[in-house]
Amino acid sequence: MGHSSNSAISLIGMPGGGKSTVGRQLARRLGLQFVDTDHVIEERVSSSIASFFAREGEERFRDLESEVLSELVSCSDHVIATGGGIVVREGNRRLLHERTVCVYLRSSPEELLKRVSRDTRRPLLQVADPLARLRELGIQRDPLYRQTAHYVVETGRPSVFTLVNMVLMQLELAGVVDPSTVPSPVGSRLTSD
Ligand code: S3P
């Protein structure tokens, strides 16, 4: 439809940055399929990410995440939302950069905290001081997100509608999508990821 590249579009960034919400809307606007690496993993292991982490540990989760990503990058007509830690592994960074059009949704730790504060589904943030954890993860990961992504979109506090338009505009400017074929928008508010 409005997608002139043969690659999937991927969204990366910290937990709570809106990857799933924005990804779903972006896919709808472009007439593409939406897929979320975390959901694929949950289906594959028949349990939540949180209980899989508790049972098998982070390394095993990362192995599965890499396996799932390597399958999904071949799905050209897709928008792929990823887990926040996907950039930790070098192989994943390379796959995302070389095989997808990769967009980094960037938010401050304070903004992220607002969106994840009542959420118990994210095992890495179940700590006494989640803001400190988000800052620490942000410092470690921001350079990795930047080197992986082709485009960085600062999310701030706009609605999903605005955020999706920002991503679309970026992709249009880059010639990845053809503006004349993108159907008119359907808006919604950014609630959680
Ligand atoms: C993780 C983020 C989560 C999920 C897992 C690990 C991380 O995804 O993949 O809990 O390391 O930041 P979201 O970014 O969708 O929360």
Side-chain angles (χ1 to χ4, degrees), residues 16 25 38 69 71 99 104 109-110 119-120 129 169 176 192:
Q25 297 282 333
D38 281 343
L69 179 67
E71 292 167 24
R99 305 276 307 276
Y104 171 21
E110 291 76 13
D119 190 336
T120 56
D129 187 350
M169 207 182 301
V176 175
S192 93

Side-chain angles (χ1 to χ4, degrees), residues 5-65:
S5 155
N6 278 328
S7 304
I9 295 169
S10 62
L11 299 177
I12 62 171
M14 290 282 285
K19 291 164 293 186
S20 303
T21 317
V22 170
R24 198 169 281 115
Q25 297 282 333
L26 184 66
R28 193 169 302 160
R29 293 275 294 276
L30 292 171
L32 302 174
Q33 300 287 313
F34 172 74
V35 67
D36 183 319
T37 57
D38 281 343
H39 293 167
V40 175
I41 294 169
E42 286 180 332
E43 272 170 25
R44 208 160 281 189
V45 301
S46 309
S47 82
S48 68
I49 302 281
S51 62
F52 187 77
F53 248 70
R55 226 176 35 243
E56 308 270 345
E58 181 171 349
E59 279 313 296
R60 183 69 202 108
F61 171 78
R62 297 289 171 214
D63 291 343
L64 260 174
E65 187 175 51

Side-chain angles (χ1 to χ4, degrees), residues 78-158:
H78 282 65
V79 173
I80 308 170
T82 60
I86 201 143
V87 295
V88 166
R89 291 206 173 166
E90 205 262 334
N92 295 345
R93 299 201 291 277
R94 205 175 40 231
L95 275 178
L96 287 163
H97 190 80
E98 289 174 3
R99 305 276 307 276
T100 76
V101 175
C102 185
V103 180
Y104 171 21
L105 297 184
R106 200 188 163 281
S107 318
S108 68
E110 291 76 13
E111 290 298 334
L112 295 169
L113 184 69
K114 286 183 197 145
R115 306 206 201 114
V116 299
S117 53
R118 279 183 303 279
D119 190 336
T120 56
R121 288 170 304 174
R122 293 182 165 97
L124 292 182
L125 298 178
Q126 304 311 304
V127 291
D129 187 350
L131 181 60
R133 184 84 179 112
L134 284 167
R135 287 198 174 121
E136 184 188 311
L137 285 173
I139 289 167
Q140 287 166 15
R141 292 178 179 175
D142 186 68
L144 304 177
Y145 293 132
R146 287 181 187 280
Q147 64 175 253
T148 305
H150 301 97
Y151 311 103
V152 181
V153 174
E154 293 286 339
T155 64
R157 303 186 63 181

